[in-house]
Amino acid sequence: MSYRGFYKIKNPKKYKGNPTQCVFRSLWERKFMKYCDTNEKVLRWSSEEVRVPYLSPIDGRFHYYYVDFWVEILDKSGESREYLIEIKPKRQLKKPEMKGNKNSYLKEMKTFIINTEKWKSAEMYCKKKNWSFKILTEKELFGK
């Protein structure tokens, strides 16, 4: 079952972008949106507004990676910090293992290779802007 929809923003002044077009593509993303929208330490945020160019190792062409979230957070010292955040299941952070269906394995491997390149590009993009790139999994979102 696919969980997609529009998140209804409660604090539109915090949202950087069109608050009527805030799309979640999973319940995990919706949970993070609610966190950003209601947490007072989150100063501003956006969803899929930052695009990072990357070179695909699959086709050798440049593409754009729309990172799940950009957030500006007030840290413990009172400093403002900016992050690009990707939401992913922990299993997608590891190289897939060959089990069963060869076609499934090849599809998972292709996705893993592309995602790895996207994340490297996001790291470099953030470094240039003095931001940080983080991937949040079920561990960070749910403590699992």
PDB file of all heavy atoms in Angstrom, residues 41-61:
ATOM      1  N   LYS A  41      12.317  24.355  17.574  1.00  0.00           N
ATOM      2  CA  LYS A  41      13.735  24.472  17.218  1.00  0.00           C
ATOM      3  C   LYS A  41      13.955  24.482  15.708  1.00  0.00           C
ATOM      4  O   LYS A  41      15.011  24.867  15.241  1.00  0.00           O
ATOM      5  CB  LYS A  41      14.536  23.354  17.870  1.00  0.00           C
ATOM      6  CG  LYS A  41      14.568  23.468  19.385  1.00  0.00           C
ATOM      7  CD  LYS A  41      15.650  22.624  19.964  1.00  0.00           C
ATOM      8  CE  LYS A  41      15.638  22.621  21.467  1.00  0.00           C
ATOM      9  NZ  LYS A  41      16.018  23.851  22.085  1.00  0.00           N
ATOM     10  N   VAL A  42      12.949  24.053  14.945  1.00  0.00           N
ATOM     11  CA  VAL A  42      13.027  24.132  13.483  1.00  0.00           C
ATOM     12  C   VAL A  42      12.549  25.525  13.085  1.00  0.00           C
ATOM     13  O   VAL A  42      11.381  25.878  13.272  1.00  0.00           O
ATOM     14  CB  VAL A  42      12.171  23.039  12.807  1.00  0.00           C
ATOM     15  CG1 VAL A  42      12.180  23.219  11.292  1.00  0.00           C
ATOM     16  CG2 VAL A  42      12.667  21.649  13.184  1.00  0.00           C
ATOM     17  N   LEU A  43      13.478  26.322  12.577  1.00  0.00           N
ATOM     18  CA  LEU A  43      13.175  27.710  12.213  1.00  0.00           C
ATOM     19  C   LEU A  43      12.482  27.796  10.861  1.00  0.00           C
ATOM     20  O   LEU A  43      11.526  28.551  10.693  1.00  0.00           O
ATOM     21  CB  LEU A  43      14.458  28.547  12.205  1.00  0.00           C
ATOM     22  CG  LEU A  43      15.249  28.545  13.507  1.00  0.00           C
ATOM     23  CD1 LEU A  43      16.561  29.299  13.330  1.00  0.00           C
ATOM     24  CD2 LEU A  43      14.428  29.132  14.639  1.00  0.00           C
ATOM     25  N   ARG A  44      13.013  27.041   9.887  1.00  0.00           N
ATOM     26  CA  ARG A  44      12.440  27.000   8.532  1.00  0.00           C
ATOM     27  C   ARG A  44      12.696  25.626   7.959  1.00  0.00           C
ATOM     28  O   ARG A  44      13.636  24.950   8.354  1.00  0.00           O
ATOM     29  CB  ARG A  44      13.091  28.058   7.629  1.00  0.00           C
ATOM     30  CG  ARG A  44      12.842  29.478   8.066  1.00  0.00           C
ATOM     31  CD  ARG A  44      13.458  30.512   7.136  1.00  0.00           C
ATOM     32  NE  ARG A  44      14.897  30.296   6.990  1.00  0.00           N
ATOM     33  CZ  ARG A  44      15.596  30.631   5.913  1.00  0.00           C
ATOM     34  NH1 ARG A  44      15.013  31.182   4.878  1.00  0.00           N
ATOM     35  NH2 ARG A  44      16.894  30.411   5.857  1.00  0.00           N
ATOM     36  N   TRP A  45      11.871  25.249   6.987  1.00  0.00           N
ATOM     37  CA  TRP A  45      12.043  23.951   6.348  1.00  0.00           C
ATOM     38  C   TRP A  45      11.367  23.944   4.993  1.00  0.00           C
ATOM     39  O   TRP A  45      10.538  24.803   4.694  1.00  0.00           O
ATOM     40  CB  TRP A  45      11.530  22.821   7.240  1.00  0.00           C
ATOM     41  CG  TRP A  45      10.042  22.810   7.471  1.00  0.00           C
ATOM     42  CD1 TRP A  45       9.326  23.635   8.286  1.00  0.00           C
ATOM     43  CD2 TRP A  45       9.099  21.914   6.877  1.00  0.00           C
ATOM     44  NE1 TRP A  45       7.994  23.301   8.245  1.00  0.00           N
ATOM     45  CE2 TRP A  45       7.828  22.251   7.389  1.00  0.00           C
ATOM     46  CE3 TRP A  45       9.203  20.866   5.971  1.00  0.00           C
ATOM     47  CZ2 TRP A  45       6.668  21.570   7.016  1.00  0.00           C
ATOM     48  CZ3 TRP A  45       8.046  20.188   5.607  1.00  0.00           C
ATOM     49  CH2 TRP A  45       6.810  20.544   6.132  1.00  0.00           C
ATOM     50  N   SER A  46      11.746  22.976   4.181  1.00  0.00           N
ATOM     51  CA  SER A  46      11.090  22.784   2.887  1.00  0.00           C
ATOM     52  C   SER A  46      11.203  21.314   2.510  1.00  0.00           C
ATOM     53  O   SER A  46      12.019  20.575   3.062  1.00  0.00           O
ATOM     54  CB  SER A  46      11.708  23.663   1.802  1.00  0.00           C
ATOM     55  OG  SER A  46      13.030  23.265   1.528  1.00  0.00           O
ATOM     56  N   SER A  47      10.372  20.911   1.568  1.00  0.00           N
ATOM     57  CA  SER A  47      10.352  19.531   1.097  1.00  0.00           C
ATOM     58  C   SER A  47      10.557  19.507  -0.410  1.00  0.00           C
ATOM     59  O   SER A  47       9.811  20.154  -1.153  1.00  0.00           O
ATOM     60  CB  SER A  47       9.008  18.893   1.463  1.00  0.00           C
ATOM     61  OG  SER A  47       8.903  17.614   0.906  1.00  0.00           O
ATOM     62  N   GLU A  48      11.575  18.785  -0.844  1.00  0.00           N
ATOM     63  CA  GLU A  48      11.918  18.611  -2.256  1.00  0.00           C
ATOM     64  C   GLU A  48      12.081  19.943  -3.002  1.00  0.00           C
ATOM     65  O   GLU A  48      11.742  20.059  -4.164  1.00  0.00           O
ATOM     66  CB  GLU A  48      10.895  17.723  -2.962  1.00  0.00           C
ATOM     67  CG  GLU A  48      10.868  16.314  -2.412  1.00  0.00           C
ATOM     68  CD  GLU A  48       9.922  15.397  -3.157  1.00  0.00           C
ATOM     69  OE1 GLU A  48       9.179  15.841  -4.048  1.00  0.00           O
ATOM     70  OE2 GLU A  48       9.940  14.193  -2.833  1.00  0.00           O
ATOM     71  N   GLU A  49      12.635  20.924  -2.326  1.00  0.00           N
ATOM     72  CA  GLU A  49      12.885  22.237  -2.941  1.00  0.00           C
ATOM     73  C   GLU A  49      14.339  22.398  -3.376  1.00  0.00           C
ATOM     74  O   GLU A  49      14.636  23.212  -4.226  1.00  0.00           O
ATOM     75  CB  GLU A  49      12.522  23.364  -1.970  1.00  0.00           C
ATOM     76  CG  GLU A  49      11.050  23.436  -1.606  1.00  0.00           C
ATOM     77  CD  GLU A  49      10.172  23.993  -2.708  1.00  0.00           C
ATOM     78  OE1 GLU A  49      10.675  24.729  -3.588  1.00  0.00           O
ATOM     79  OE2 GLU A  49       8.961  23.708  -2.683  1.00  0.00           O
ATOM     80  N   VAL A  50      15.258  21.627  -2.779  1.00  0.00           N
ATOM     81  CA  VAL A  50      16.681  21.741  -3.112  1.00  0.00           C
ATOM     82  C   VAL A  50      17.035  20.648  -4.112  1.00  0.00           C
ATOM     83  O   VAL A  50      16.768  19.470  -3.864  1.00  0.00           O
ATOM     84  CB  VAL A  50      17.568  21.610  -1.852  1.00  0.00           C
ATOM     85  CG1 VAL A  50      19.047  21.627  -2.229  1.00  0.00           C
ATOM     86  CG2 VAL A  50      17.252  22.717  -0.858  1.00  0.00           C
ATOM     87  N   ARG A  51      17.612  21.064  -5.222  1.00  0.00           N
ATOM     88  CA  ARG A  51      18.028  20.081  -6.221  1.00  0.00           C
ATOM     89  C   ARG A  51      19.548  20.100  -6.340  1.00  0.00           C
ATOM     90  O   ARG A  51      20.171  21.155  -6.427  1.00  0.00           O
ATOM     91  CB  ARG A  51      17.332  20.299  -7.562  1.00  0.00           C
ATOM     92  CG  ARG A  51      17.810  21.442  -8.352  1.00  0.00           C
ATOM     93  CD  ARG A  51      17.059  21.558  -9.664  1.00  0.00           C
ATOM     94  NE  ARG A  51      17.790  22.502 -10.495  1.00  0.00           N
ATOM     95  CZ  ARG A  51      17.565  22.715 -11.752  1.00  0.00           C
ATOM     96  NH1 ARG A  51      16.603  22.075 -12.371  1.00  0.00           N
ATOM     97  NH2 ARG A  51      18.288  23.568 -12.429  1.00  0.00           N
ATOM     98  N   VAL A  52      20.090  18.915  -6.333  1.00  0.00           N
ATOM     99  CA  VAL A  52      21.539  18.725  -6.357  1.00  0.00           C
ATOM    100  C   VAL A  52      21.894  17.982  -7.647  1.00  0.00           C
ATOM    101  O   VAL A  52      21.369  16.896  -7.894  1.00  0.00           O
ATOM    102  CB  VAL A  52      21.991  17.898  -5.129  1.00  0.00           C
ATOM    103  CG1 VAL A  52      23.478  17.591  -5.198  1.00  0.00           C
ATOM    104  CG2 VAL A  52      21.633  18.622  -3.841  1.00  0.00           C
ATOM    105  N   PRO A  53      22.777  18.553  -8.474  1.00  0.00           N
ATOM    106  CA  PRO A  53      23.194  17.825  -9.675  1.00  0.00           C
ATOM    107  C   PRO A  53      24.121  16.667  -9.311  1.00  0.00           C
ATOM    108  O   PRO A  53      24.900  16.760  -8.369  1.00  0.00           O
ATOM    109  CB  PRO A  53      23.943  18.888 -10.492  1.00  0.00           C
ATOM    110  CG  PRO A  53      24.369  19.907  -9.507  1.00  0.00           C
ATOM    111  CD  PRO A  53      23.409  19.866  -8.360  1.00  0.00           C
ATOM    112  N   TYR A  54      23.983  15.573 -10.041  1.00  0.00           N
ATOM    113  CA  TYR A  54      24.875  14.436  -9.846  1.00  0.00           C
ATOM    114  C   TYR A  54      25.085  13.741 -11.193  1.00  0.00           C
ATOM    115  O   TYR A  54      24.251  13.807 -12.074  1.00  0.00           O
ATOM    116  CB  TYR A  54      24.326  13.445  -8.804  1.00  0.00           C
ATOM    117  CG  TYR A  54      23.150  12.625  -9.273  1.00  0.00           C
ATOM    118  CD1 TYR A  54      23.321  11.341  -9.793  1.00  0.00           C
ATOM    119  CD2 TYR A  54      21.856  13.134  -9.217  1.00  0.00           C
ATOM    120  CE1 TYR A  54      22.239  10.594 -10.236  1.00  0.00           C
ATOM    121  CE2 TYR A  54      20.769  12.399  -9.655  1.00  0.00           C
ATOM    122  CZ  TYR A  54      20.968  11.127 -10.156  1.00  0.00           C
ATOM    123  OH  TYR A  54      19.899  10.397 -10.602  1.00  0.00           O
ATOM    124  N   LEU A  55      26.229  13.094 -11.306  1.00  0.00           N
ATOM    125  CA  LEU A  55      26.561  12.338 -12.510  1.00  0.00           C
ATOM    126  C   LEU A  55      26.206  10.882 -12.263  1.00  0.00           C
ATOM    127  O   LEU A  55      26.747  10.249 -11.357  1.00  0.00           O
ATOM    128  CB  LEU A  55      28.052  12.469 -12.825  1.00  0.00           C
ATOM    129  CG  LEU A  55      28.553  11.747 -14.076  1.00  0.00           C
ATOM    130  CD1 LEU A  55      27.902  12.316 -15.339  1.00  0.00           C
ATOM    131  CD2 LEU A  55      30.060  11.851 -14.162  1.00  0.00           C
ATOM    132  N   SER A  56      25.280  10.360 -13.058  1.00  0.00           N
ATOM    133  CA  SER A  56      24.845   8.975 -12.887  1.00  0.00           C
ATOM    134  C   SER A  56      25.922   8.017 -13.386  1.00  0.00           C
ATOM    135  O   SER A  56      26.342   8.105 -14.535  1.00  0.00           O
ATOM    136  CB  SER A  56      23.551   8.719 -13.652  1.00  0.00           C
ATOM    137  OG  SER A  56      23.262   7.333 -13.670  1.00  0.00           O
ATOM    138  N   PRO A  57      26.341   7.083 -12.535  1.00  0.00           N
ATOM    139  CA  PRO A  57      27.299   6.082 -12.991  1.00  0.00           C
ATOM    140  C   PRO A  57      26.654   5.040 -13.917  1.00  0.00           C
ATOM    141  O   PRO A  57      27.348   4.273 -14.554  1.00  0.00           O
ATOM    142  CB  PRO A  57      27.785   5.426 -11.693  1.00  0.00           C
ATOM    143  CG  PRO A  57      26.761   5.752 -10.677  1.00  0.00           C
ATOM    144  CD  PRO A  57      26.034   6.973 -11.117  1.00  0.00           C
ATOM    145  N   ILE A  58      25.341   5.067 -14.022  1.00  0.00           N
ATOM    146  CA  ILE A  58      24.629   4.109 -14.867  1.00  0.00           C
ATOM    147  C   ILE A  58      24.629   4.559 -16.327  1.00  0.00           C
ATOM    148  O   ILE A  58      24.971   3.804 -17.217  1.00  0.00           O
ATOM    149  CB  ILE A  58      23.174   3.898 -14.377  1.00  0.00           C
ATOM    150  CG1 ILE A  58      23.149   3.408 -12.917  1.00  0.00           C
ATOM    151  CG2 ILE A  58      22.408   2.966 -15.298  1.00  0.00           C
ATOM    152  CD1 ILE A  58      23.798   2.060 -12.668  1.00  0.00           C
ATOM    153  N   ASP A  59      24.247   5.834 -16.561  1.00  0.00           N
ATOM    154  CA  ASP A  59      24.176   6.305 -17.952  1.00  0.00           C
ATOM    155  C   ASP A  59      25.214   7.375 -18.297  1.00  0.00           C
ATOM    156  O   ASP A  59      25.277   7.839 -19.426  1.00  0.00           O
ATOM    157  CB  ASP A  59      22.764   6.796 -18.291  1.00  0.00           C
ATOM    158  CG  ASP A  59      22.335   8.024 -17.504  1.00  0.00           C
ATOM    159  OD1 ASP A  59      23.178   8.680 -16.860  1.00  0.00           O
ATOM    160  OD2 ASP A  59      21.127   8.345 -17.529  1.00  0.00           O
ATOM    161  N   GLY A  60      26.034   7.794 -17.307  1.00  0.00           N
ATOM    162  CA  GLY A  60      27.091   8.773 -17.567  1.00  0.00           C
ATOM    163  C   GLY A  60      26.582  10.184 -17.829  1.00  0.00           C
ATOM    164  O   GLY A  60      27.320  11.022 -18.326  1.00  0.00           O
ATOM    165  N   ARG A  61      25.328  10.448 -17.492  1.00  0.00           N
ATOM    166  CA  ARG A  61      24.734  11.780 -17.726  1.00  0.00           C
ATOM    167  C   ARG A  61      24.442  12.472 -16.394  1.00  0.00           C
ATOM    168  O   ARG A  61      24.272  11.820 -15.368  1.00  0.00           O
ATOM    169  CB  ARG A  61      23.440  11.626 -18.518  1.00  0.00           C
ATOM    170  CG  ARG A  61      23.694  11.025 -19.896  1.00  0.00           C
ATOM    171  CD  ARG A  61      22.436  10.727 -20.662  1.00  0.00           C
ATOM    172  NE  ARG A  61      21.574  11.898 -20.746  1.00  0.00           N
ATOM    173  CZ  ARG A  61      20.280  11.839 -21.002  1.00  0.00           C
ATOM    174  NH1 ARG A  61      19.691  10.679 -21.213  1.00  0.00           N
ATOM    175  NH2 ARG A  61      19.556  12.928 -21.066  1.00  0.00           N
TER     176      ARG A  61
END
